[in-house]
Amino acid sequence: MSHRADALSVRRYGASHGSHTHEHFQILLGLDGVLELEVNGRGRRISAGDGAVIAPGDRHDFVAASIARCLVLDSNDTRWQYALGHPEPRALAPLARYLATACDSALPRARLLGPDLLLEAWTPPLVPQRPRRAIDWSALTAWVQARGHEPLQVDDLAACAHLSAAQFTTRCREERGMSPMAWVRELRLAEARRLRGQGLPVAEVARRTGYRSPSALTAAQRRLAGR
């Protein structure tokens, strides 16, 4: 898989174009207006000075009642995983506005250094690592499968693994190769295939695996098959 260079841009958002995913990190910093953001079913608002880090594989959607303007960084730098779960420092707002001006004015040096400056300003200082608690993925898989109809969130998985949400997200990416909610989706779709193989109706399979309708389950299966 090829990796493109990190890219800074200023984007304007209005009506939603539907949910989607990326294979890279996407970092948003609000400049003007209010952007409604939904990531893996959880919503938040991005106003001027606010920010968000969207991890690879996280399904998300944007909408703004009127035009919202954001500084956007598309990045393949895996160090952004350390920003997940950490709120953006308020000192980022002036830097974001400067980099937005650099994008609008085509200032090459600012745009080149901007991604590293944003990462340095956002991520907390690294501290010596203590021995990490092992995650029993087999037990956690059984726990998720026993709650197939429940709307699980990252906090639920993290609590079961006795980790913080940020720690669990990092460990899931390192050890499973995907975000926590992507991992849950794959488990539930695998269970759906098993239940369909036993001859259960699609509606019953959807109910048991946490999908709101048979069509939602079918759409999820098609997305997985088309990856």
Side-chain angles (χ1 to χ4, degrees):
M1 179 177 61
S2 61
H3 292 284
R4 64 179 181 178
D6 288 1
L8 269 177
S9 61
V10 175
R11 300 182 193 173
R12 290 168 173 79
Y13 295 92
S16 169
H17 295 291
S19 63
H20 58 284
T21 62
H22 300 300
E23 294 183 357
H24 55 265
F25 286 94
Q26 189 169 79
I27 297 87
L28 299 168
L29 286 159
L31 298 170
D32 303 296
V34 178
L35 181 66
E36 300 289 346
L37 170 64
E38 183 180 288
V39 182
N40 289 328
R42 286 194 168 183
R44 61 171 298 183
R45 308 181 81 194
I46 305 295
S47 302
D50 296 330
V53 179
I54 302 171
D58 282 355
R59 183 157 293 277
H60 56 283
D61 192 9
F62 308 104
V63 66
S66 57
I67 297 300
R69 200 166 63 101
C70 294
L71 179 71
V72 181
L73 171 61
D74 292 316
S75 176
N76 291 299
D77 193 328
T78 57
R79 290 176 297 172
W80 276 106
Q81 66 185 318
Y82 299 113
L84 296 170
H86 293 277
E88 72 284 359
R90 300 309 297 179
L92 272 177
L95 175 58
R97 291 199 171 277
Y98 170 71
L99 293 176
T101 300
C103 290
D104 291 338
S105 305
L107 302 177
R109 187 166 179 79
R111 295 181 68 176
L112 177 65
L113 298 177
D116 282 339
L117 291 174
L118 286 173
L119 179 64
E120 185 178 85
W122 198 312
T123 52
L126 295 178
V127 297
Q129 292 188 346
R130 294 175 295 177
R132 300 199 300 182
R133 178 192 297 273
I135 297 176
D136 187 338
W137 289 103
S138 296
L140 188 57
T141 297
W143 184 87
V144 170
Q145 290 174 334
R147 291 158 179 79
H149 63 288
E150 297 180 14
L152 297 177
Q153 300 293 340
V154 176
D155 288 345
D156 303 315
L157 302 170
C160 186
H162 305 289
L163 296 169
S164 71
Q167 289 172 328
F168 183 78
T169 296
T170 298
R171 296 284 296 280
C172 191
R173 292 189 184 285
E174 291 176 352
E175 299 176 26
R176 302 290 98 176
M178 64 188 75
S179 71
M181 299 316 299
W183 178 66
V184 170
R185 281 196 301 273
E186 292 213 349
L187 288 180
R188 289 183 167 177
L189 289 174
E191 178 66 4
R193 288 194 297 272
R194 187 185 72 81
L195 294 174
R196 284 291 289 152
Q198 293 178 350
L200 268 67
V202 177
E204 177 62 15
V205 172
R207 186 190 68 80
R208 291 195 187 188
T209 53
Y211 286 88
R212 64 182 181 276
S213 66
S215 60
L217 171 59
T218 301
Q221 289 172 323
R222 286 174 179 167
R223 284 195 298 268
L224 182 64
R227 285 195 319 190

Short mmCIF file of all heavy atoms in Angstrom, two decimals, residues 10 13 16 19 45-46 71 83 87 89 100 126 140 146 165 167:
data_model
loop_
_atom_site.label_atom_id
_atom_site.label_comp_id
_atom_site.label_asym_id
_atom_site.label_seq_id
_atom_site.Cartn_x
_atom_site.Cartn_y
_atom_site.Cartn_z
N VAL A 10 -7.47 23.79 3.83
CA VAL A 10 -8.63 24.44 4.45
C VAL A 10 -9.86 23.98 3.67
O VAL A 10 -9.89 24.10 2.44
CB VAL A 10 -8.51 25.97 4.41
CG1 VAL A 10 -9.77 26.62 4.95
CG2 VAL A 10 -7.30 26.42 5.22
N TYR A 13 -17.41 22.97 4.80
CA TYR A 13 -18.38 21.89 4.93
C TYR A 13 -19.78 22.47 4.97
O TYR A 13 -20.02 23.51 5.58
CB TYR A 13 -18.13 21.09 6.21
CG TYR A 13 -16.81 20.36 6.23
CD1 TYR A 13 -15.67 20.95 6.77
CD2 TYR A 13 -16.70 19.08 5.71
CE1 TYR A 13 -14.45 20.29 6.79
CE2 TYR A 13 -15.48 18.40 5.73
CZ TYR A 13 -14.37 19.01 6.26
OH TYR A 13 -13.17 18.35 6.29
N SER A 16 -24.32 17.09 4.37
CA SER A 16 -23.62 15.81 4.48
C SER A 16 -23.60 15.10 3.13
O SER A 16 -24.56 15.12 2.38
CB SER A 16 -24.33 14.93 5.51
OG SER A 16 -23.83 13.61 5.47
N SER A 19 -21.69 8.97 5.33
CA SER A 19 -20.58 8.52 6.16
C SER A 19 -19.54 7.79 5.31
O SER A 19 -19.85 7.23 4.26
CB SER A 19 -21.09 7.60 7.28
OG SER A 19 -21.66 6.43 6.73
N ARG A 45 -19.54 18.54 18.41
CA ARG A 45 -19.56 19.77 17.61
C ARG A 45 -18.15 20.36 17.56
O ARG A 45 -17.45 20.41 18.57
CB ARG A 45 -20.53 20.79 18.21
CG ARG A 45 -21.92 20.26 18.46
CD ARG A 45 -22.84 21.33 19.03
NE ARG A 45 -23.35 22.18 17.96
CZ ARG A 45 -23.94 23.35 18.19
NH1 ARG A 45 -24.07 23.82 19.41
NH2 ARG A 45 -24.40 24.06 17.18
N ILE A 46 -17.77 20.81 16.38
CA ILE A 46 -16.47 21.44 16.19
C ILE A 46 -16.72 22.91 15.87
O ILE A 46 -17.18 23.26 14.77
CB ILE A 46 -15.67 20.79 15.04
CG1 ILE A 46 -15.54 19.27 15.26
CG2 ILE A 46 -14.32 21.44 14.90
CD1 ILE A 46 -14.72 18.90 16.46
N LEU A 71 -9.42 23.73 9.32
CA LEU A 71 -8.11 23.30 8.88
C LEU A 71 -8.09 21.78 8.97
O LEU A 71 -8.46 21.22 10.01
CB LEU A 71 -7.01 23.90 9.76
CG LEU A 71 -5.58 23.49 9.42
CD1 LEU A 71 -5.13 24.12 8.10
CD2 LEU A 71 -4.62 23.88 10.55
N ALA A 83 -2.61 11.07 20.30
CA ALA A 83 -3.52 12.20 20.52
C ALA A 83 -4.94 11.74 20.76
O ALA A 83 -5.77 12.51 21.25
CB ALA A 83 -3.48 13.16 19.31
N PRO A 87 -7.82 15.86 24.74
CA PRO A 87 -8.42 17.06 24.13
C PRO A 87 -7.35 17.96 23.54
O PRO A 87 -6.21 17.98 24.00
CB PRO A 87 -9.13 17.73 25.32
CG PRO A 87 -8.40 17.23 26.53
CD PRO A 87 -7.96 15.82 26.20
N PRO A 89 -5.14 21.09 22.89
CA PRO A 89 -4.75 22.25 23.71
C PRO A 89 -5.34 23.53 23.13
O PRO A 89 -5.42 23.69 21.91
CB PRO A 89 -3.21 22.25 23.60
CG PRO A 89 -2.84 20.89 23.08
CD PRO A 89 -3.99 20.43 22.26
N ALA A 100 -3.84 27.97 8.41
CA ALA A 100 -4.91 28.19 7.43
C ALA A 100 -4.53 29.33 6.49
O ALA A 100 -4.73 29.24 5.27
CB ALA A 100 -6.22 28.50 8.15
N LEU A 126 5.97 11.99 25.86
CA LEU A 126 6.07 10.56 26.11
C LEU A 126 6.76 10.31 27.45
O LEU A 126 7.72 10.99 27.81
CB LEU A 126 6.87 9.88 24.99
CG LEU A 126 6.20 9.92 23.61
CD1 LEU A 126 7.12 9.25 22.58
CD2 LEU A 126 4.86 9.22 23.64
N LEU A 140 -12.36 -11.50 25.58
CA LEU A 140 -13.04 -10.27 25.18
C LEU A 140 -13.94 -10.55 23.97
O LEU A 140 -15.05 -10.01 23.87
CB LEU A 140 -12.02 -9.18 24.85
CG LEU A 140 -12.59 -7.79 24.59
CD1 LEU A 140 -13.42 -7.28 25.76
CD2 LEU A 140 -11.46 -6.81 24.28
N ALA A 146 -21.42 -12.32 23.30
CA ALA A 146 -22.56 -12.53 24.20
C ALA A 146 -23.45 -11.31 24.29
O ALA A 146 -24.56 -11.38 24.82
CB ALA A 146 -22.05 -12.90 25.60
N ALA A 165 -9.99 4.21 27.70
CA ALA A 165 -10.42 4.17 26.31
C ALA A 165 -9.25 4.43 25.36
O ALA A 165 -9.10 3.77 24.32
CB ALA A 165 -11.54 5.18 26.07
N GLN A 167 -6.01 3.93 25.96
CA GLN A 167 -5.09 2.80 25.99
C GLN A 167 -5.63 1.64 25.16
O GLN A 167 -4.90 1.01 24.39
CB GLN A 167 -4.85 2.34 27.43
CG GLN A 167 -4.03 3.30 28.26
CD GLN A 167 -4.00 2.89 29.73
OE1 GLN A 167 -4.97 2.33 30.26
NE2 GLN A 167 -2.89 3.16 30.39
#
